Amino acid sequence: MTAGRTLVGAPGTLLRHELRLLASIVLWAARRTHGTREGRPFGYVRGQGALLLGLGFVCVVETVGLAVLLRPWPVAHAVMLAVDVYAVLMIVGLHAASVTRPHVLTPTVLRVRRAAQVDLSIPLERIARVRRDLRTTHERAEGVLDLPVGAQTSVTLELTEPVTHVPLFGRPRPVGVVRFHTDDADRFVAAMGHAVR
């Protein structure tokens, strides 16, 4: 029964994720953000901009190359063109989600985010320690959530009690240490110092 639910739930989860990416493109075009009205936003997009730009460029080159190669086969050409355009759209959506869904510090909660995949709410009273902690390698560990951007994290949170992280696919798990990236880690740590006093 659980396996059946997982199979049924996975396509729905993927569809919701992709709709969030498309909605993020609209927000980005309108120069708006998601969920930042009640708090202070902290961006993290600078760490991955070049990577996504490079990936987008490769997809565009592939689209043009396949269009030339598949010209004699119109059906294959149309299918691959649709797939390639969709891939470029998802890359743009990923960048847009990273821009429009920053981390948010409110008077009671810190929302740690990564594009449209992660939105973890951590009550401020559960945060025991915040420190600037630049890491470029991340080994899996029980109770630790690593959210690198551009293969690095710059802030580490230690919690007094775990919060539940629900991944895009997979089972919820408790985490007591959260590592993530923000573009201005010093400003973030200072703001957190004032917030958790």
Side-chain angles (χ1 to χ4, degrees):
M1 189 132 179
T2 305
R5 282 188 190 152
T6 303
L7 290 175
V8 171
T13 300
L14 185 60
L15 178 62
R16 282 191 300 276
H17 174 258
E18 294 188 0
L19 289 174
R20 282 195 294 265
L21 292 181
L22 294 174
S24 295
I25 294 173
V26 174
L27 285 173
W28 188 37
R31 295 179 181 264
R32 300 186 67 177
T33 56
H34 176 271
T36 58
R37 279 190 186 170
E38 298 163 7
R40 188 172 170 189
F42 291 89
Y44 52 87
V45 75
R46 280 193 308 227
Q48 69 181 14
L51 176 68
L52 288 178
L53 181 64
L55 188 58
F57 177 75
V58 167
C59 284
V60 169
V61 169
E62 178 197 32
T63 301
V64 172
L66 284 175
V68 171
L69 290 173
L70 295 176
R71 196 176 329 158
W73 302 280
V75 174
H77 176 265
V79 169
M80 288 310 299
L81 180 62
V83 169
D84 285 340
V85 167
Y86 181 75
V88 170
L89 189 63
M90 288 298 103
I91 291 168
V92 171
L94 186 59
H95 178 72
S98 297
V99 172
T100 61
R101 295 171 180 265
H103 308 305
V104 182
L105 175 61
T106 75
T108 57
V109 172
L110 171 65
R111 290 176 74 180
V112 177
R113 301 159 116 185
R114 186 170 66 182
Q117 295 99 339
V118 177
D119 192 344
L120 179 67
S121 292
I122 304 171
L124 294 185
E125 71 255 12
R126 292 196 193 182
I127 299 175
R129 191 169 170 208
V130 183
R131 68 181 184 275
R132 180 175 165 74
D133 183 21
L134 182 63
R135 290 175 181 247
T136 55
T137 59
H138 303 89
E139 294 182 18
R140 282 186 170 262
E142 191 67 32
V144 177
L145 176 62
D146 290 313
L147 300 171
V149 173
Q152 71 177 14
T153 57
S154 56
V155 173
T156 296
L157 299 178
E158 295 175 10
L159 310 182
T160 56
E161 59 181 288
V163 294
T164 302
H165 167 58
V166 181
L168 193 60
F169 297 107
R171 296 181 179 177
R173 66 184 183 101
V175 293
V177 175
V178 181
R179 297 187 187 113
F180 59 95
H181 178 69
T182 182
D183 291 335
D184 191 346
D186 291 326
R187 187 170 66 92
F188 175 82
V189 170
M192 285 296 297
H194 293 299
V196 298
R197 276 180 186 169

